[in-house]
Amino acid sequence: MEFTAKDIAGLVGGTIDGNPDVKVNRLARIEDGEPEALSFLANPKYYPYINSTRSSIVLVQSDFQAEQALSCTLIRVDDPYTAFANLLEIYDKMRKGKTGTSSLASIAKSAKIGNNAYIGDFVVISDNAVIGDDVKIFPHSYVGENVKIGSGTTLNPGVIIYYDCIIGNECTIHGGSVIGADGFGFAPQSDNNYKKVAQIGNVVIEDNVEIGANTTIDRATLGSTIIRRGVKLDNLIQVGHNVEIGENTVIAAQSGIAGSTKVGKNCMIGGQVGLAGHIVIADEVKIGAQAGLASNVNKPGSIILGSPAIDISRFRRIIAIFNNLDKLYYRIGDLEKTIKQLQAEKIGDEKIS
Amino acid sequence: MEFTAKDIAGLVGGTIDGNPDVKVNRLARIEDGEPEALSFLANPKYYPYINSTRSSIVLVQSDFQAEQALSCTLIRVDDPYTAFANLLEIYDKMRKGKTGTSSLASIAKSAKIGNNAYIGDFVVISDNAVIGDDVKIFPHSYVGENVKIGSGTTLNPGVIIYYDCIIGNECTIHGGSVIGADGFGFAPQSDNNYKKVAQIGNVVIEDNVEIGANTTIDRATLGSTIIRRGVKLDNLIQVGHNVEIGENTVIAAQSGIAGSTKVGKNCMIGGQVGLAGHIVIADEVKIGAQAGLASNVNKPGSIILGSPAIDISRFRRIIAIFNNLDKLYYRIGDLEKTIKQLQAEKIGDEKIS
Amino acid sequence: MEFTAKDIAGLVGGTIDGNPDVKVNRLARIEDGEPEALSFLANPKYYPYINSTRSSIVLVQSDFQAEQALSCTLIRVDDPYTAFANLLEIYDKMRKGKTGTSSLASIAKSAKIGNNAYIGDFVVISDNAVIGDDVKIFPHSYVGENVKIGSGTTLNPGVIIYYDCIIGNECTIHGGSVIGADGFGFAPQSDNNYKKVAQIGNVVIEDNVEIGANTTIDRATLGSTIIRRGVKLDNLIQVGHNVEIGENTVIAAQSGIAGSTKVGKNCMIGGQVGLAGHIVIADEVKIGAQAGLASNVNKPGSIILGSPAIDISRFRRIIAIFNNLDKLYYRIGDLEKTIKQLQAEKIGDEKIS
């Protein structure tokens, strides 16, 4: 995709200062500028880069004054950062603006596909699946029987959605994620073997959810594992069966939530966190990276850290002591010596007296 | 799939109390009941739900007495929970009862496929692979050269099995798992580069093993990485090269086992646990979530926690002190002050005397 | 693949002692020997196995003296271990020596494929992708638009490479890894919703990099996430957007690196380690398994452990105290009692005097 300075000025409502026909085909930071790239300049700290940048076009503030003649074309706008962010989005949407169904996809006759959808090569859409309008399903994705996918949702390459699961509108699921595999349920038998407990529930993902690459969300034993609207999950996250994650909660990579745990809304959970099964986390709770929780967090807005996790202020106090535990240890040794001496002196005193 | 109350009563050996022709097409918890769903009622705590449930059929105990007229049809059985669990399984098997080979699969001429197998769209079966009877291989799965898969085993969508690996009978492997990728072996060179150590062993998975989604089990350098019969692995687990996991051991999500470690049988390992390489874990050991083990656990039946992991009773005692380390810290400060005072007084006394 | 003793002797430059026509088709440890396998004997500790091994051929040292008549054929070489390692590599290369393009692959007309490449079944090569010479792309892999793959690189089955990413020469990427999924970037809005920040950068992987199975490396927001030459990443690792990993750094399974962090060269990072975002790790740093780092490591060659991570010598000292914290606790209790007694006695003394 190529754009002229004129095209860009039109998209962001700016005025051109330089060659209106110069072309760009990518975006770059001003300090990494290269020919045919577009950059922006918002922070005065970066002003000096304007003289040396190799970018062909730079977005600057309306009142920007160059100190010397510039080789790049300027586009003047009220807010270069916002203009640039808007361009990012436009660029991103253009790139993803695919439609049409590949002749190499396998689509069951009983499946329904909405208008304006993109179905890539080697995609499988199984019986009775319902795919909404403007959905994009990239190559190698698998949509199981009876799955429903809301409008505007994107499945990146290699996404696997098992039967009966429901995905909302305007969701994005990244490559290799597995939605709806069996929950981990086995009943111990007297001979040390385990008998599988059938997992016949499903996964329900509401609207505006983003799910990273290679994340796994297990189907419920019965009922649904539920990811509420606006939730953002990073890569390689494990969500166990019958878990529920509340609205707009954000979870960083490699965290795991064991079965039947309920996480509140607007929570922020760091990377590599572990939540035990059957616990409840209140709304707006923040959990630090690598924390481990084995019990409920009842107070909304709590900030907790550590494994087992405790309140952040206690954690910080305690970890500071922990990291100097050797000094504490020596102080105790010193105390013991001093006391022994005091006792010895006392006995000496008594003997003397 | 639809069933009448009469069908269900036949399947579970129960008697009908209500309309024998009412139809159900799904299962639901009694509190989530909806028309055309079947529920069960075993725990007296849940008895009140029978009056308000919208489920069409409810399994109850033979001697159950309703307190008021009910809108649902009852099926009376000796043990409603067991009857329901059996129905779960029947339902699950019906759903999975696929057979036949997709014309879109790629099957090498030298591969052997057993009777009654299901091979889905875009599956690859490579040269000299041997697939047993009643095996189900869902779309996008890859079976490498010389792989053997025992009878009754299911590969869910997108499973990858590298060449030479052996999978037993009645196993289930979930979507996106990778069996037999190269072990992580590199020999450091004098110039700071690493030279790859060829990994030419394989992975052997015995019978009745279940492996979750996106789990990775590396092939041995030489010989085999071995998963013994009855083992259950959850999602996103890492099993390094030449590891051996003993019979009926169960491991929760996101745990990792480094190369050449040997885990005993009937062990239970929690989520996000890390086992270092070249260690041995005895039989029937239980390891708590997020534990880290760098050395052998020799005593069968040990229960260990923490990182580095220690015996559970010591761990609990120590973590209780740790979580109050600030109090301990203040007590030491107080002790020091008191002793200083005692010393000062003593010096005072001596001066006086 | 089958080889005679004569073939093997030719490959390793050895002399045959026994039947030159005996055939082998696999490699095995001498203690696991079986007919048609080749083993080696280097360590004198293993000499007794030579009498009982069932292997057909054994590599031994030039001057090896059998104590009794042997059923196996010997091949005498200067260094049996090195000869065996060379055979491993030859065997490995033969196995992987595929070429040709499957008629079941989907290759865009605008893509360029180098000489001698292998493109497997159901592979997708998108518009404007450039694939170098001798590249091997196994079934179900996805190569996005504008992706460049250097010569001699192998993508194992089910690898996903998003648009615009660049992979160097002689790299190996294992099954299910996802390169170039969107970085985890969301701007919080006043209504608790998050707005996605478009991620339009890419991932650049330099030469001689190996990436394990189901690992995820996110594309940069702008610019590149960079994996420098010689890096080795194990399975299930998470690399966030705009991260840079220095030359020849090795990272074990399930570790995670948050966005914009920069790891030096020649580092060794253990399994399940977490690095926070926006930090810098110096060269040649070693980080123990399960460590958690929230701040820079400035000193090259540092060895650190724990979460939060500290220097190894302090960690060991502190963890030794931690693991005996209960004893320390009792010592403090004892001190308090002793002091109370001393004070009481003092008061007694004063009363007496």
Side-chain angles (χ1 to χ4, degrees), chain A residues 104 106 122 145 160 162-163 176 193 195-196 200 218 236 238 273 307 314 317 331 339 345 349, chain B residues 27 88-89 95 98 121-122 140 156-157 174-175 210 214 235 254 272 290 323 326 336 339 346:
Chain A
L104 300 175
S106 169
F122 311 126
E145 292 160 25
I160 295 169
Y162 280 52
Y163 60 96
N193 286 304
K195 188 174 185 311
K196 184 176 175 72
I200 66 153
D218 281 352
L236 292 168
Q238 152 72 356
V273 166
S307 175
R314 284 194 65 70
R317 207 154 58 217
R331 281 166 63 186
I339 285 189
E345 285 171 8
D349 286 357
Chain B
L27 303 167
L88 281 190
E89 255 181 77
R95 171 169 292 290
K98 289 168 176 286
D121 298 339
F122 311 126
H140 302 127
N156 283 286
H174 281 284
E210 180 146 345
N214 284 348
N235 300 344
Q254 297 178 319
Q272 299 182 337
Q290 295 191 324
N323 283 342
D326 48 348
E336 286 170 335
I339 285 189
K346 195 168 157 33

Side-chain angles (χ1 to χ4, degrees), chain B residues 128-205:
Chain B
N128 300 312
V130 179
I131 310 295
D133 296 341
D134 304 306
V135 165
K136 298 187 197 321
I137 304 185
F138 280 78
H140 302 127
S141 283
Y142 170 84
V143 176
E145 292 161 24
N146 310 316
V147 167
K148 288 189 183 61
I149 298 183
S151 64
T153 283
T154 297
L155 306 188
N156 283 286
V159 169
I160 296 169
I161 304 185
Y162 280 52
Y163 61 95
D164 289 355
C165 293
I166 297 173
I167 316 290
N169 303 318
E170 303 294 335
C171 292
T172 298
I173 305 185
H174 281 284
S177 279
V178 180
I179 313 298
D182 285 355
F184 197 61
F186 300 91
Q189 307 296 297
S190 55
D191 60 356
N192 287 323
N193 286 303
Y194 288 87
K195 188 173 185 311
K196 185 176 174 73
V197 177
Q199 304 286 314
I200 66 152
N202 71 348
V203 175
V204 174
I205 294 177

